[in-house]
Amino acid sequence: MLTQPWVFDDVVVGARFYNSNLEDKVLIGAEGCISKILSLTSPKDAAQSSAVSQTFMSAAESDVVWESFLPSDYEDIVSTSDSPMDFPSKKQLYFSLCNSPILLDGGKLSFSLDKKTGKKCFMVAARELGITWGNTPAYWEWLSHLNSRFSEVAKLKRVCWLDIRGKIKTRVLSKRTEYFAYLVFKFGDSFYGLGSVNSVVRFVDSESDNEAERRANVVSFVGQGPRSMLPMERDDGWLELKLGNFFNDTGEDGDVEARLMEIQYLRWKHGLIVQGIEFRPE
């Protein structure tokens, strides 16, 4: 008589323990399934899904989800950063790369991610650009700038012939992605001589300079016109001028070059401060 309640209680306790374990396993399984599903969506969808429930929140925070949004070669890229990077989660790494570009190749190149898509963005530093007369002190000056991500910027002192080129290898860019190229710049204290200029983007191995020049776009540093032709202010306080676009298919097109030029009307130009040329998805 005295043992029956204990036997009964053991069964009840055991049943409760079994049900608790089962619920935990179901929750863990559900969380894993949700993580797999979220990894097939987008960073924005994953972030918003955390408001659905506690299970969704846990799934949306998992490394499985956020590693899927990082480039497949992110470890190789991060390992070559000029500054050591150590983040406890892939989500934190993702948003750090979105909000804080890292320097690569001895500070000649910066890398970041597009927050909406996780696609790769690169900016080529002014020092790595092909600037006609860039190494002639009478025409261009190299100096540090407080708000630049690079150690040097190029300041135009005085030229008639303006020609600036930036190249990047298509194999390092995100595949099957439409990219745009931008001149990232500021106006100096006294800026003159630059209104409308020409810009063009070309695959170096597929199109000559002369062919590209014949189809060049007209863009403007000042004045009125379509929004796409005029400078836009960036979140980092710099300005950007769209130079053109291209589709990076499989990354096997060699170098792509973005170019800004004013080589027809040989008037004096002054006061342009160049940080670099950025290649990023739109």
Side-chain angles (χ1 to χ4, degrees):
M1 295 291 294
L2 293 174
T3 59
Q4 286 181 354
W6 288 103
V7 172
F8 178 76
D9 287 346
D10 285 346
V11 172
V12 172
V13 171
R16 286 174 178 167
F17 180 75
Y18 174 77
N19 287 336
S20 177
N21 279 350
L22 181 60
E23 288 173 2
D24 287 344
K25 289 178 180 178
V26 169
L27 287 174
I28 292 171
E31 184 179 312
C33 289
I34 294 170
S35 294
K36 288 290 186 182
I37 293 170
L38 291 177
S39 70
L40 301 175
T41 62
S42 69
K44 182 179 179 180
D45 291 334
Q48 290 179 337
S49 71
S50 62
V52 174
S53 69
Q54 185 63 45
T55 302
F56 266 84
M57 180 181 292
S58 297
E61 296 288 325
S62 73
D63 282 350
V64 171
V65 172
W66 291 96
E67 188 162 28
S68 72
F69 300 142
L70 291 165
S72 58
D73 58 347
Y74 79 92
E75 290 180 320
D76 293 333
I77 295 172
V78 168
S79 68
T80 61
S81 170
D82 290 1
S83 302
M85 301 188 68
D86 184 21
F87 291 90
S89 73
K90 296 298 188 291
K91 182 179 180 180
Q92 287 177 296
L93 174 61
Y94 181 89
F95 281 105
S96 176
L97 291 174
C98 292
N99 299 322
S100 303
I102 60 175
L103 296 182
L104 308 175
D105 197 18
K108 301 173 185 175
L109 188 70
S110 78
F111 168 76
S112 61
L113 295 179
D114 177 72
K115 187 176 291 186
K116 293 181 180 179
T117 64
K119 303 273 188 176
K120 300 176 185 176
C121 308
F122 291 93
M123 190 190 297
V124 182
R127 234 346 152 176
E128 287 300 293
L129 302 179
I131 301 178
T132 301
W133 308 112
N135 292 320
T136 305
Y139 299 136
W140 287 88
E141 179 183 7
W142 293 91
L143 42 83
S144 61
H145 194 288
L146 181 63
N147 296 324
S148 174
R149 64 184 64 173
F150 303 112
S151 61
E152 289 182 303
V153 298
K155 183 176 182 181
L156 173 59
K157 295 175 72 175
R158 195 166 182 258
V159 296
C160 290
W161 184 287
L162 180 70
D163 197 345
I164 303 173
R165 305 169 186 243
K167 293 181 184 178
I168 195 165
K169 297 184 182 301
T170 55
R171 62 178 170 79
V172 307
L173 302 174
S174 296
K175 296 179 176 58
R176 291 172 290 281
T177 300
E178 185 81 12
Y179 271 88
F180 285 76
Y182 298 86
L183 180 76
V184 181
F185 72 98
K186 281 181 178 287
F187 293 119
D189 294 335
S190 58
F191 173 85
Y192 61 80
L194 277 170
S196 296
V197 295
N198 294 116
S199 68
V200 69
V201 175
R202 70 181 178 111
F203 292 114
V204 175
D205 295 338
S206 304
E207 187 177 23
S208 69
D209 261 351
N210 289 336
E211 290 171 327
E213 286 175 15
R214 285 196 291 270
R215 63 172 182 84
N217 304 310
V218 177
V219 292
S220 300
F221 282 103
V222 294
Q224 297 180 338
R227 189 175 181 182
S228 61
M229 292 175 52
L230 298 171
M232 298 291 293
E233 187 170 359
R234 296 160 52 95
D235 291 339
D236 59 10
W238 290 76
L239 298 169
E240 63 182 25
L241 186 64
K242 187 181 293 184
L243 304 181
N245 63 293
F246 63 97
F247 184 74
N248 186 43
D249 190 6
T250 60
E252 298 177 354
D253 291 306
D255 289 348
V256 62
E257 178 187 79
R259 183 182 179 192
L260 177 99
M261 54 192 162
E262 206 297 275
I263 55 179
Q264 293 181 335
Y265 305 104
L266 301 181
R267 53 180 175 266
W268 289 110
K269 307 162 185 65
H270 172 82
L272 184 67
I273 301 172
V274 178
Q275 181 177 191
I277 289 179
E278 185 170 50
F279 297 88
R280 72 169 191 264
E282 190 74 5

